[in-house]
Amino acid sequence: MIALNNAQRDAVLKGDGPALVLAGAGSGKTRVIVERIAHLVAEKGVDARNILALTFTNKAAQEMSHRVAARLGVERFGGWLGTFHSFGLYVLRRDIDKLGRPKQFTIFDDADQLSLMKKLIKDLGAQAASLSPRDVLSWISNYKQDIATPDMAPSAQPGENAKRVLWTRYHEALQRASAVDFDDLLVLTARLFEEHADARQKYAERYHYVLIDEYQDTNRAQYLLARHISSVHHNIFVVGDEDQSIYSWRGANIRNILDFEKDFPNASAFRLEQNYRSTEPILKAANAVVKNNTARLGKTLWTAKEGGDPVRFYDAPDAEGEARFVVDDIVEKKLSPAQVAVLFRTNGQVRLVEEAMRRKGLAYVVVGGVRFYGRKEIKDVLCYLRLLVNPADDVSLRRVLNVPARGIGATTQDLLEQYAIARKQSLMEVLRETEMDQSIAPRARQSISDFVHLIDDLALEAKTEPTATVVDHLLERTKYREYVQQADEKDYRTRLEMVDEFRAACAQFDVKGGGGLLAFLQELSLVSDVDSWDTSLPAVTLMTCHSAKGLEFDHVYLLGLEEGLLPHASALESEDNIEEERRLCYVAMTRARVSLTLCAAKARVVFGDGIAPRETSRFVAEIPRDQLKFVGGDPGRKASAGQAPVAIVPTGGIKLGTRVWHAQFGKGTVMYTSGSGAKLRARIRFESGRSRDFMVAAAPLKVLDGDKKK
């Protein structure tokens, strides 16, 4: 057995029966699982074929399999080591016929599901016309993972009845096609074990030892699988950290790990608290934050390595200043870019950091997304804007002529290109001459005419109006937001967030004095032209806090520690959601090995419209002042410690019947309110038919004047 500390050794050598290993960040959890398997095979003589080890990603499974094989000195580990989904597939290929389904089934991927749901929504007609296929699939998935059926879903809200109908039709269509989706690999396996004791018994007797990694991320279906498979021998060994449970939005249930000792009587519990990653100051600060959660079993990380740089806090004057500080600090300290990570809560925060990196000549890589100005939606809007100042820009025109779709198909576009070549004109000049061209279909001619008028109107406006106003009118007249929402891509919410962040960049340019659309585009081109890094060079990593889980870096900068960002505005209405945001902050902090710098801004463009004052995150207030080193900014500025952020809408302006606009859901009407001041809540019915409750002080709401946004 390789060197283990006392807690690790106790867990590895544990006898039969259920066991819970609470493994804090950087405490060597993978080592414990590998050594536990090696101990069972090499020391206890367990046949590898009687071992089942489950994890969440193929990458994690492959790494663990290689390490186990190397530890046992064999070419390939003979046990079953893989993801929950691959195990579900293994079982269903052999026994799904017990559920009345054929063994030769197809697995529908994301594109297959989306295509099917689009057809079902279309077939359902007006009842489902306002529903997004992606939203419906996500709604179904959330309930399925909880082992729910259509009759268990709510029906009181507008649109919910249609979703229930679509859920039923969706699964009927899957069955007709002899197909399953990704969730079914878990759900149908759990159902098989629930309804067919013989199948449950067969697999439970085969696997004498069950080991599960990242147990805090399991959903209801995975929990049931774990119970059923361990129902004969009761040898279930789970490793996880309730303080790193940050995926409730995709079905994970923290109660699975919190209630383990209730669910599995006589379970042994082990706490891995020695951290091998971070310095003492980083661990003290992280512990100070997460200990404020109530949904935890309790542990305190410590390290044998004494000393280390104190955790720093920088309170920037604004979001641009925050980005500049981070980049300047990396350069001044001569940090190795490959060992630096800049973390943030939302993808929209990356733009300012990217721009600051470019100006300073720092190489960087955005993990989990493309560069801000390289995103499709940003390129689309930029091409429209370029046409306003340069109608002869054929490259930009080609990109947006039929985006969003306006009935100008590929055949018509080819014909226009031929005209332009023959006449030696720009495409825009050709478009202006097509009104009476009988060779082009009437519908296409009308669409071309509408497009030309759009560009002309906005070009005239751009000569006098602020850039942000021009962008607002462009998005409104092209219905670009609706186009993004109805697009096939699964990340349309992120894409809308990017559009709002671009609009925020325009607003910031206007506030600084601007100079009009042409000046904005020129400044942007100067920044973007530097974007030609040598990919062989080390680069700073830019990523969200969620994406950073499982990774580590020497130096971490955590940005946007403000109420409404971290914790996120969407979490402020629920204490459970606040606790998950606190865990997310803890995860981000414990990615750091050597240095950790926390940042916030006194002011930031909020929801793409106007600079608003910001409250420092309550999580900063939870760190004792003597454990923080203040660098620049205002060390006396009060952190919120749980107060609501500055209201986007004056709470007194919200009452029954008020017409409002929400950044995500659009226009709506206040149906009723409760509470007052910072605790004012409002129920809003949107024009899409859906209704939602909001904490007014935290929601991205604007009061409408009549039916027009202020």
Side-chain angles (χ1 to χ4, degrees), residues 167-201:
W167 185 352
T168 300
R169 294 188 179 184
Y170 171 71
H171 282 98
E172 288 174 348
L174 285 179
Q175 286 192 256
R176 286 195 302 271
S178 297
V180 300
D181 64 18
F182 205 55
D183 288 329
D184 285 332
L185 296 177
L186 301 177
V187 174
L188 292 178
T189 306
R191 180 182 155 199
L192 173 71
F193 290 161
E194 287 271 328
E195 298 177 2
H196 297 274
D198 56 336
R200 178 176 66 244
Q201 194 76 5

Side-chain angles (χ1 to χ4, degrees), residues 394-614:
D394 285 354
V395 173
S396 292
L397 192 147
R398 289 190 189 99
R399 182 181 182 94
V400 300
L401 181 58
N402 203 41
V403 175
R406 47 175 61 90
I408 307 173
T411 301
T412 300
Q413 292 185 50
D414 288 343
L415 186 60
L416 294 171
E417 291 275 2
Q418 293 171 22
Y419 285 167
I421 294 171
R423 300 173 187 174
K424 298 183 180 179
Q425 293 177 317
S426 69
L427 283 173
M428 182 61 78
E429 289 175 314
V430 170
L431 294 184
R432 295 186 188 282
E433 298 174 2
T434 58
E435 188 169 346
M436 305 303 295
D437 191 335
Q438 298 301 314
S439 65
I440 296 177
R443 182 189 173 195
R445 288 207 308 273
Q446 184 60 51
S447 296
I448 290 170
S449 178
D450 292 343
F451 178 83
V452 171
H453 286 309
L454 167 71
I455 298 301
D456 287 347
D457 290 348
L458 292 175
L460 184 62
E461 187 176 294
K463 293 179 180 179
T464 57
E465 294 292 335
T467 302
T469 301
V470 176
V471 171
D472 284 342
H473 293 165
L474 168 64
L475 296 174
E476 181 180 344
R477 290 188 59 176
T478 60
K479 300 187 183 303
Y480 193 80
R481 291 181 188 278
E482 291 85 345
Y483 161 70
V484 169
Q485 280 189 289
Q486 294 167 9
D488 289 352
E489 285 81 345
K490 61 184 176 182
D491 61 341
Y492 77 86
R493 291 186 181 88
T494 298
R495 295 178 62 195
L496 285 176
E497 185 178 281
M498 295 299 104
V499 172
D500 286 338
E501 185 62 18
F502 178 80
R503 199 274 180 195
C506 298
Q508 287 178 320
F509 177 79
D510 293 334
V511 169
K512 290 188 299 183
L517 178 58
L518 179 59
F520 173 75
L521 293 173
Q522 288 175 340
E523 180 176 289
L524 193 61
S525 66
L526 290 175
V527 173
S528 300
D529 287 345
V530 186
D531 191 17
S532 56
W533 306 116
D534 181 351
T535 55
S536 66
L537 294 175
V540 176
T541 300
L542 312 182
M543 61 182 4
T544 65
C545 299
H546 282 100
S547 297
K549 186 173 181 290
L551 304 177
E552 56 185 66
F553 304 87
D554 282 351
H555 311 284
V556 169
Y557 294 82
L558 177 55
L559 276 54
L561 274 161
E562 304 148 26
E563 293 291 301
L565 268 184
L566 188 59
H568 194 268
S570 62
L572 297 177
E573 299 174 28
S574 160
E575 189 55 40
D576 287 344
N577 291 341
I578 287 291
E579 292 213 353
E580 179 153 333
E581 292 289 302
R582 185 176 282 112
R583 292 193 291 270
L584 184 60
C585 183
Y586 171 80
V587 166
M589 294 172 73
T590 53
R591 300 310 95 196
R593 287 189 288 247
V594 178
S595 76
L596 172 64
T597 303
L598 311 177
C599 299
K602 294 185 179 70
R604 188 183 298 272
V605 175
V606 182
F607 307 117
D609 184 31
I611 296 177
R614 308 291 290 171

Side-chain angles (χ1 to χ4, degrees), residues 12 109 123 144 181 201 272 283 292 324 330 363 367 440 443 480 483 513 519 529 586 642-643 681 687 694 699:
V12 168
D109 63 17
D123 291 346
K144 282 179 65 174
D181 64 18
Q201 194 76 5
L272 307 186
L283 295 180
N292 291 280
R324 281 196 304 271
I330 293 171
V367 176
I440 296 177
R443 182 189 173 195
Y480 193 80
Y483 161 70
D529 287 345
Y586 171 80
Q643 295 99 318
R681 299 177 69 91
E687 292 182 352
F694 296 95

Side-chain angles (χ1 to χ4, degrees), residues 343-413:
L343 308 182
F344 34 82
R345 176 63 176 83
T346 69
N347 284 300
Q349 292 170 257
V350 73
R351 175 182 63 85
L352 293 175
V353 182
E354 282 194 76
E355 291 179 353
M357 293 271 181
R358 289 190 185 104
R359 293 189 187 102
K360 211 71 174 181
L362 271 181
Y364 67 91
V365 59
V366 181
V367 176
V370 298
R371 295 171 184 264
F372 184 84
Y373 290 110
R375 299 184 65 96
K376 178 190 182 303
E377 57 274 15
I378 303 305
K379 283 186 174 181
D380 287 346
V381 178
L382 276 173
C383 284
Y384 270 111
L385 296 179
R386 287 172 184 148
L387 276 179
L388 304 187
V389 298
N390 179 18
D393 184 347
D394 285 354
V395 173
S396 292
L397 192 147
R398 289 190 189 99
R399 182 181 182 94
V400 300
L401 181 58
N402 203 41
V403 175
R406 47 175 61 90
I408 307 173
T411 301
T412 300
Q413 292 185 50

Side-chain angles (χ1 to χ4, degrees), residues 103-361:
K103 291 183 179 180
Q104 297 303 315
F105 56 84
T106 300
I107 302 174
F108 269 24
D109 63 17
D110 189 75
D112 296 326
Q113 291 177 260
L114 195 59
S115 177
L116 173 58
M117 186 53 67
K118 282 181 177 179
K119 181 180 184 303
L120 294 175
I121 288 176
K122 182 179 179 181
D123 291 346
L124 194 54
Q127 184 182 357
S130 64
L131 297 178
S132 157
R134 181 62 60 189
D135 272 350
V136 177
L137 287 169
S138 178
W139 183 86
I140 292 172
S141 178
N142 286 338
Y143 279 105
K144 282 179 65 174
Q145 291 181 62
D146 207 31
I147 314 297
T149 53
D151 59 294
M152 298 168 66
S155 58
Q157 301 304 322
E160 301 295 345
N161 281 327
K163 289 180 182 177
R164 292 173 64 179
V165 172
L166 289 168
W167 185 352
T168 300
R169 294 188 179 184
Y170 171 71
H171 282 98
E172 288 174 348
L174 285 179
Q175 286 192 256
R176 286 195 302 271
S178 297
V180 300
D181 64 18
F182 205 55
D183 288 329
D184 285 332
L185 296 177
L186 301 177
V187 174
L188 292 178
T189 306
R191 180 182 155 199
L192 173 71
F193 290 161
E194 287 271 328
E195 298 177 2
H196 297 274
D198 56 336
R200 178 176 66 244
Q201 194 76 5
K202 177 173 69 173
Y203 292 97
E205 288 181 351
R206 178 182 304 175
Y207 298 112
H208 300 180
Y209 293 89
V210 179
L211 300 94
I212 301 176
D213 189 19
E214 304 285 9
Y215 190 68
Q216 78 280 351
D217 292 335
T218 53
N219 58 31
R220 175 70 178 173
Q222 290 159 332
Y223 163 80
L224 290 174
L225 288 181
R227 287 203 64 125
H228 290 318
I229 293 296
S230 61
S231 60
V232 171
H233 299 286
H234 307 294
N235 295 323
I236 180 170
F237 185 93
V238 306
V239 181
D241 182 5
E242 80 278 19
D243 291 333
Q244 295 187 71
S245 179
I246 59 174
Y247 295 118
S248 66
W249 49 276
R250 67 183 190 195
N253 188 347
I254 193 174
R255 299 309 313 179
N256 291 346
I257 191 168
L258 295 178
D259 296 340
F260 183 86
E261 292 173 276
K262 294 179 184 177
D263 295 334
F264 298 91
N266 303 315
S268 301
F270 305 90
R271 283 172 168 77
L272 307 186
E273 299 177 303
Q274 184 173 358
N275 178 282
Y276 294 92
R277 176 189 300 159
S278 307
T279 63
E280 189 175 28
I282 293 170
L283 295 180
K284 283 184 176 180
N287 287 333
V289 171
V290 79
K291 75 177 183 181
N292 291 280
N293 274 358
T294 57
R296 64 191 304 256
L297 298 169
K299 59 187 171 304
T300 301
L301 296 183
W302 62 276
T303 179
K305 300 180 292 184
E306 296 182 356
D309 295 336
V311 175
R312 301 184 302 162
F313 177 67
Y314 179 71
D315 196 15
D318 53 34
E320 288 179 308
E322 177 187 54
R324 281 196 304 271
F325 164 76
V326 170
V327 174
D328 289 344
D329 197 62
I330 293 171
V331 173
E332 289 172 11
K333 291 182 175 298
K334 298 180 180 179
L335 303 180
S336 170
Q339 293 303 324
V340 177
V342 180
L343 308 182
F344 34 82
R345 176 63 176 83
T346 69
N347 284 300
Q349 292 170 257
V350 73
R351 175 182 63 85
L352 293 175
V353 182
E354 282 194 76
E355 291 179 353
M357 293 271 181
R358 289 190 185 104
R359 293 189 187 102
K360 211 71 174 181

Side-chain angles (χ1 to χ4, degrees), residues 608-625:
D609 184 31
I611 296 177
R614 308 291 290 171
E615 292 271 359
T616 307
S617 171
R618 67 193 74 191
F619 304 149
V620 176
E622 291 168 355
I623 304 173
R625 307 291 274 188

